[in-house]
Amino acid sequence: MKKIVLIIMAVAIMVSCKDQNDIYKDYMPLNGIVYPGKATGAIACSGYEKVEIRWPAGADPSVVSAKISWNNNLGDTVVSIPPNTDTIRCLIPLPEGSHAFEIRTCDAKGNVSVPVEITGRAYGSVYVNRFVVPREIESQKIDGTKATILWKSADISNGARYTEVNYPALDETEKTVTLSALETILEIEDFKLGAGGFKHRTVYLPDSTSIDPLFSTKRTVDEYFALDKKNCHVVDFSSQHPDGNNFASNVIDGIYLDNRWHTNANIPGVYPHFVTIRFDTETSIQCVGVWPSTRDAVNRGGVIDERLPTSLKFEISQDNASWTSVGQFTSPLPTTHSEQRYEVTPTPARYIKFTGISTTNPNNDVGYMVVGELDFYCK
């Protein structure tokens, strides 16, 4: 029995020794040559005009340094590896482009490991100028102090990660919010109009190993916000055609193509024609957009209905009784389905009146007026 126990113990010792040999077999002399543990798991992380070489420390405690060379020994550097180091990192300044690296670890006796070869890329101004651009805006609207900005798709394929927006807040400070590349709607509850608009830039990380965010140029947007027309109401108008959907309220329903306000054709259809719109809160309008209708356009021999006024005016009021003119204009007849914008004198008001004064339309029905939509803008 004693002999059996001794045999089992001997086998266990042999297995244990074999395990130890397996751990260090890569570091044992072969034909008299010692190879320290190599830089297993090394990666090259991309940066702006630099690359970071990184790998986890290996099991070989004899490794004290590593030599990193690049691009067929056009350059090299030596990295010290102190004891108990978890991760080895080396930041190498390099011009924009792809680069090849070779890593050899060393022990204190000067023995060198077998090489590890990896590739990496440095980004620079060429990439930034070509791909790192601000995200485009689809539209923007305002509802009191709530600004809603709709964005076009971000260029995720080239590394867009998020957009940074700086805006003027009601408390007189400049605040910053971010929008991820996967989001398309940004809502700001405390936006202050009349303070110079907002700024935005998009931040990129070109690949999964990037260590430097790349910033697009910062774009200033001091353009008009479209007033959210859910808080607008038609309260008065000169006339509307009783047949079909020709209501005056159609000018603020948000349908820009096959819809319209058609003044009454069953009574003497003579200019002027007007519509009055009330805002839920006092609003300072700076621009008004007038759209033609496309309804009946084909029957009239065109792509739009040309029965818009060519002489028109806008007035504002606090009480729907006393009116102040904020702009009178003349314009040519429309030929495309596009918005005609008129900049008006910005004045706080609760009501705005749009009046078509006359038209140069040569058709027999020159007395009627057809309007597709009205938009109101602030900034």
Side-chain angles (χ1 to χ4, degrees):
M1 186 69 177
K2 194 175 202 182
K3 274 176 139 186
I4 293 173
V5 171
L6 290 174
I7 291 171
I8 292 173
M9 290 178 62
V11 170
I13 291 171
M14 290 173 65
V15 170
S16 175
C17 291
K18 184 177 186 302
D19 290 342
Q20 292 292 328
N21 288 337
D22 285 344
I23 293 174
Y24 293 104
K25 68 180 180 180
D26 289 338
Y27 318 132
M28 297 297 291
L30 179 63
N31 299 326
I33 302 175
V34 175
Y35 292 101
K38 63 182 180 179
T40 302
I43 59 173
C45 301
S46 61
Y48 188 84
E49 296 184 348
K50 59 180 172 285
V51 173
E52 183 183 72
I53 306 300
R54 185 189 303 172
W55 71 93
D60 186 354
S62 71
V63 173
V64 296
S65 65
K67 181 179 179 181
I68 305 173
S69 58
W70 52 90
N71 301 335
N72 294 321
N73 293 313
L74 287 179
D76 61 65
T77 188
V78 174
V79 183
S80 176
I81 304 176
N84 302 317
T85 299
D86 292 327
T87 304
I88 296 91
R89 302 172 187 269
C90 179
L91 203 61
I92 305 171
L94 288 167
E96 182 171 10
S98 297
H99 302 277
F101 302 90
E102 183 181 273
I103 309 168
R104 292 177 181 267
T105 59
C106 307
D107 62 19
K109 296 180 180 180
N111 297 308
V112 179
S113 73
V114 294
V116 171
E117 297 178 348
I118 58 175
T119 59
R121 182 176 180 181
Y123 294 96
S125 60
V126 173
Y127 185 90
V128 169
N129 292 336
R130 184 174 179 182
F131 298 111
V132 182
V133 296
R135 189 173 179 180
E136 295 293 333
I137 294 174
E138 185 75 43
S139 64
Q140 54 197 56
K141 65 181 180 180
I142 194 79
D143 178 8
T145 62
K146 180 181 178 179
T148 302
I149 306 170
L150 179 63
W151 303 79
K152 294 183 179 180
S153 297
D155 189 3
I156 297 175
S157 63
N158 281 310
R161 292 295 180 265
Y162 64 91
T163 296
E164 182 182 88
V165 179
N166 310 112
Y167 71 94
L170 293 177
D171 62 4
E172 307 296 334
T173 64
E174 182 179 83
K175 294 184 178 180
T176 301
V177 292
T178 58
L179 178 81
S180 83
L182 299 177
E183 298 175 295
T184 57
I185 299 175
L186 176 64
E187 294 182 339
I188 301 172
E189 299 289 344
D190 59 341
F191 192 92
K192 183 179 180 181
L193 284 170
F198 63 94
K199 304 178 184 68
H200 68 92
R201 65 178 179 179
T202 301
V203 182
Y204 288 71
L205 289 171
D207 58 60
S208 61
T209 69
S210 296
I211 57 173
D212 292 330
L214 304 179
F215 297 92
S216 74
T217 56
K218 184 171 285 190
R219 181 175 293 171
T220 298
V221 181
D222 189 17
E223 300 168 0
Y224 292 118
F225 279 87
L227 187 69
D228 191 334
K229 289 184 289 189
K230 71 180 182 182
N231 297 317
C232 299
H233 314 275
V234 170
V235 295
D236 197 9
F237 52 88
S238 53
S239 71
Q240 61 186 14
H241 200 293
D243 300 331
N245 184 12
N246 295 294
F247 307 121
S249 59
N250 289 343
V251 295
I252 56 170
D253 66 358
I255 301 174
Y256 291 84
L257 295 175
D258 192 20
N259 207 354
R260 65 186 181 183
W261 165 38
H262 190 315
T263 59
N264 198 336
N266 296 330
I267 59 176
V270 294
Y271 277 86
H273 304 288
F274 76 89
V275 63
T276 301
I277 292 133
R278 175 176 60 83
F279 307 130
D280 282 347
T281 59
E282 186 178 80
T283 305
S284 183
I285 299 299
Q286 293 178 275
C287 182
V288 181
V290 180
W291 291 81
S293 172
T294 58
R295 185 172 163 187
D296 290 346
V298 174
N299 294 334
R300 301 182 63 81
V303 294
I304 53 95
D305 191 323
E306 78 284 0
R307 290 175 292 183
L308 274 180
T310 53
S311 177
L312 60 155
K313 67 178 179 179
F314 302 96
E315 300 168 278
I316 54 95
S317 174
Q318 291 287 4
D319 56 7
N320 198 21
S322 177
W323 293 93
T324 300
S325 175
V326 290
Q328 184 165 331
F329 307 90
T330 59
S331 64
L333 285 170
T335 57
T336 61
H337 186 255
S338 58
E339 182 183 38
Q340 296 177 338
R341 284 194 177 186
Y342 303 94
E343 293 191 350
V344 299
T345 304
T347 309
R350 289 292 305 278
Y351 299 85
I352 188 166
K353 181 188 290 186
F354 160 60
T355 300
I357 300 172
S358 62
T359 182
T360 57
N361 187 341
N363 293 331
N364 294 330
D365 53 2
V366 293
Y368 312 139
M369 187 173 78
V370 177
V371 178
E373 189 78 13
L374 296 177
D375 278 323
F376 308 102
Y377 299 94
C378 314
K379 70 176 179 178

